[in-house]
């Protein structure tokens, strides 16, 4: 179960790294657009909206992308801890439970399965320690 959990965590980790890179690129692009009055004016003209509306919308998008980037970075740190607990075989279940919940909420199959396998592996580590 440890190997399966590590494998699922690794696949999810790779997807998180890709997501972080894409989010950083998107934040840079939207930041440039937010700072350029020409781009905002062109978008306002093409969409039929006001300059101020487009600027506020860009700010909301930048904030949302920033929050999502932060969540992905925190998840990467959590995965490091979960993999460390698997390697040490200390039987800690908290990180695997959090990853399982994140997998459910995010509909991420890799973290869902990795969390389940991690909980089983941690449970087996606890059983071995008790004997």
């Amino acid at each position: 179960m440890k190997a399966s959990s590590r494998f699922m965590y690794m696949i999810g980790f790779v997807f998180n790294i890709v997501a972080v890179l894409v989010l950083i690129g998107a934040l840079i692009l939207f930041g440039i657009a937010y700072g350029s009055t020409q781009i905002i004016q062109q978008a306002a003209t093409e969409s039929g909206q006001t300059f101020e509306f487009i600027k506020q919308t860009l700010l909301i998008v930048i904030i949302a992308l920033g929050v999502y980037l932060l969540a992905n970075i925190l998840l990467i740190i959590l995965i490091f801890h979960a993999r460390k607990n698997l390697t040490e075989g200390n039987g800690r279940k908290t990180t695997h439970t959090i990853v399982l919940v994140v997998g459910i909420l995010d509909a991420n199959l890799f973290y869902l399965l990795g969390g389940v396998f991690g909980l089983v592996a941690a449970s087996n580590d606890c059983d071995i320690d008790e004997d």
Side-chain angles (χ1 to χ4, degrees):
M1 285 293 151
K2 285 183 182 184
S4 299
S5 183
R6 278 193 207 108
F7 182 70
M8 291 296 169
Y9 285 159
M10 183 55 66
I11 294 172
F13 177 79
V14 169
F15 280 113
N16 271 103
I17 294 295
V18 171
V20 165
L21 294 175
V22 168
L23 287 169
I24 289 172
L27 275 171
I28 290 170
L29 290 176
F30 280 106
I32 291 170
Y34 184 77
S36 171
T37 56
Q38 287 179 330
I39 294 173
I40 296 173
Q41 187 61 45
Q42 183 180 0
T45 304
E46 290 177 6
S47 67
Q49 299 292 334
T50 64
F51 180 87
E52 202 56 40
F53 177 80
I54 298 296
K55 191 167 184 166
Q56 288 174 357
T57 303
L58 280 173
L59 182 61
I60 290 171
V61 168
I62 289 170
I63 291 170
L65 288 174
V67 169
Y68 193 53
L69 176 65
L70 180 65
N72 273 288
I73 291 171
L74 292 175
L75 190 56
I76 287 171
I77 293 168
L78 182 67
I79 294 303
F80 274 125
H81 284 285
R83 287 180 55 95
K84 179 182 170 192
N85 287 341
L86 285 172
T87 303
E88 291 175 355
N90 55 21
R92 292 187 181 156
K93 299 176 187 175
T94 308
T95 52
H96 305 296
T97 305
I98 294 171
V99 171
L100 176 65
V101 170
V102 168
I104 291 169
L105 294 176
D106 194 28
N108 187 327
L109 183 64
F110 301 114
Y111 289 148
L112 176 74
L113 292 174
V116 170
F117 295 150
L119 283 172
V120 171
S123 180
N124 289 341
D125 288 340
C126 287
D127 291 343
I128 292 171
D129 289 343
E130 292 176 3
D131 290 338

